[in-house]
Amino acid sequence: QAQLVESGGGLVQAGGSLRLSCAATGTIFAINAMGWYRQVSGKQRELVAVVTDGASTVYADSVKGRFTISRDNRKNTVYLQMNSLKPEDTAVYYCNAKAITTLSHGYREIWGSGTLVTVSS
């Protein structure tokens, strides 16, 4: 079964940095876009950054200039380098991918279980 395995979350002081990693494992034949979303309790999940298979990127306005998304297609891994972290970045971060997991179907959304990022003031 296709799975996204996240790592890198934790506690960091404001102004610090964290690097999130997400590796796609299991039965995956192809991946189009990969990205990161975040969610705070009581709020809707929001896009943080997405990178396509062509390396085109999209960032939320709130993280532009501070976060950088990248991917290693050979390893089916996406990274999120987070610099100049702010308390408002505190959230559960979820990895997302559009992937072909069976040959009889097209791309579908798969999600990681989330990793908590806490930024202290």
Side-chain angles (χ1 to χ4, degrees), residues 17-56:
S17 298
L18 285 174
R19 190 188 192 215
L20 305 183
S21 298
C22 171
T25 64
T27 305
I28 297 176
F29 298 98
I31 298 177
N32 189 342
M34 299 187 76
W36 291 92
Y37 294 72
R38 66 187 182 188
Q39 187 170 23
V40 179
S41 296
K43 301 291 184 65
Q44 284 192 323
R45 185 171 54 195
E46 65 176 0
L47 182 146
V48 177
V50 171
V51 58
T52 70
D53 59 349
S56 178

Side-chain angles (χ1 to χ4, degrees), residues 8-91:
L11 175 64
V12 65
Q13 293 184 357
S17 298
L18 285 174
R19 190 188 192 215
L20 305 183
S21 298
C22 171
T25 64
T27 305
I28 297 176
F29 298 98
I31 298 177
N32 189 342
M34 299 187 76
W36 291 92
Y37 294 72
R38 66 187 182 188
Q39 187 170 23
V40 179
S41 296
K43 301 291 184 65
Q44 284 192 323
R45 185 171 54 195
E46 65 176 0
L47 182 146
V48 177
V50 171
V51 58
T52 70
D53 59 349
S56 178
T57 58
V58 176
Y59 293 93
D61 288 341
S62 60
V63 307
K64 287 180 180 177
R66 300 188 297 119
F67 291 9
T68 302
I69 190 169
S70 61
R71 66 189 292 177
D72 184 335
N73 291 332
R74 183 183 304 174
K75 299 172 64 175
N76 282 341
T77 300
V78 63
Y79 307 93
L80 185 67
Q81 179 66 46
M82 304 184 294
N83 299 324
S84 301
L85 283 162
K86 305 174 180 179
E88 50 262 46
D89 294 318
T90 296

